[in-house]
Amino acid sequence: MIEIEVKNLYKIYNENRQNEFTALKNINLQIKSGEIVVIKGKSGSGKSTLLSILGGISKPTKGDVIIENENIAKLPDIYISNFRNEKIGFIFQSFNLINGLTTYDNVKAPLVLKKLKKQEFETKIKKALQIANIQHKSDQNVENLSGGEKQRCAIARALVMNPSIILADEPTANLDKHNSLIFIDMLKKLKKLNKTVIVATHDSLFEHLEFVNRYININDAEIIT
Ligand SMILES: Nc1ncnc2c1ncn2[C@@H]1O[C@H](COP(=O)(O)OP(=O)(O)OP(=O)(O)O)[C@@H](O)[C@H]1O
Ligand SMILES: [Mg+2]
């Protein structure tokens, strides 16, 4: 099943102004359900721009982004945030955790609008903490977590809604080698759970991984392979 389809996608910043800049040019892409895809490309090539459009965080200038039969490029913002919350887990390079809250409460954050019983909240949160291997730091304020632990908390938060798609932007940029390899191992786990995962990275640790279904190279706003 095709889970994500991108057709003739363009992102032009500052269109029709002197500083107009084409960050994505005629991107076409089909990603099947359960695939692990790595997007590579040098700094400024357009990786984060593409990921943020796939995640409904920013809108394309032109083109279509069809996720599970819904063209999110055409959806009104109010629906997009709901769609994203239900279907997509986004792992940011800088983690974007809420300081002052514990790991548990950070992971709970995407669930707050759900009408769930206390027990149901707990089950979902514990499961996500467990997959991300951070359950032992549940009650710790996230400010006091190490870089690798913050990353695992961000992963748990991305998983708690049980999304079918996980997008990760430079997920190892703030990690040492040991924790980067733990992250890569986690990708294997996500594949077993049949998640569709797209990672944007220029970390060489992601090269030649046998469980990665596809490597996509972006250069100067275009897919080159
Ligand atoms: N809001 C914006 N306004 C204007 N230009 C932008 C904006 N956001 C990004 N760009 C430009 O678009 C290009 C692509 O940026 P993007 O962040 O997608 O690159 P990247 O491949 O993720 O790079 P990196 O590896 O450094 O994270 C860059 O040249 C950047 O300066
Ligand atoms: Mg980037």
Side-chain angles (χ1 to χ4, degrees), residues 1 31 33 39 45 58 64 68 107 117 125 139 150 158-159 165 168 171 190 203 214 225:
M1 183 188 108
I31 295 172
S33 175
I39 301 177
S45 55
S58 76
D64 298 314
E68 294 184 10
V107 174
K117 297 200 181 87
I125 296 164
D139 299 329
K150 280 186 185 152
L159 293 176
I165 299 167
L190 294 178
D203 186 339
R214 195 148 31 127
T225 46

Side-chain angles (χ1 to χ4, degrees), residues 149-165:
E149 289 166 352
K150 280 186 185 152
Q151 167 69 296
R152 300 210 288 281
C153 178
I155 292 167
R157 185 185 53 186
L159 293 176
V160 76
M161 296 288 287
N162 197 21
S164 43
I165 299 167

Side-chain angles (χ1 to χ4, degrees), residues 13-14 19 21-24 41-50 93 169-170 200 202 218:
Y13 290 113
N14 306 313
N19 55 351
F21 183 82
T22 302
L24 291 174
K42 63 179 185 340
S43 179
S45 55
K47 303 182 297 296
S48 296
T49 304
L50 178 58
Q93 174 176 345
D169 194 5
E170 303 283 354
H202 45 226
I218 300 194

Side-chain angles (χ1 to χ4, degrees), residues 108-133:
K108 187 177 179 182
L111 290 172
V112 291
L113 293 177
K114 291 232 160 232
K115 290 191 176 63
L116 296 176
K117 297 200 181 87
K118 191 163 177 272
Q119 186 64 44
E120 290 170 319
F121 272 121
E122 274 182 15
T123 309
K124 283 180 191 292
I125 296 164
K126 284 200 173 133
K127 192 170 171 209
L129 289 167
Q130 206 178 2
I131 297 172
N133 195 19

Side-chain angles (χ1 to χ4, degrees), residues 8-61:
N8 307 320
L9 180 80
Y10 284 77
K11 179 70 180 185
I12 304 166
Y13 290 113
N14 306 313
E15 201 177 16
N16 301 324
R17 282 191 242 152
Q18 214 180 355
N19 55 351
E20 180 174 301
F21 183 82
T22 302
L24 291 174
K25 194 172 166 187
N26 196 26
I27 302 288
N28 289 283
L29 205 55
Q30 285 188 339
I31 295 172
K32 293 195 201 91
S33 175
E35 277 193 317
I36 309 279
V37 176
V38 172
I39 301 177
K40 301 198 304 172
K42 63 179 185 340
S43 179
S45 55
K47 303 182 297 296
S48 296
T49 304
L50 178 58
L51 224 55
S52 70
I53 291 173
L54 294 180
I57 294 168
S58 76
K59 285 236 169 184
T61 309

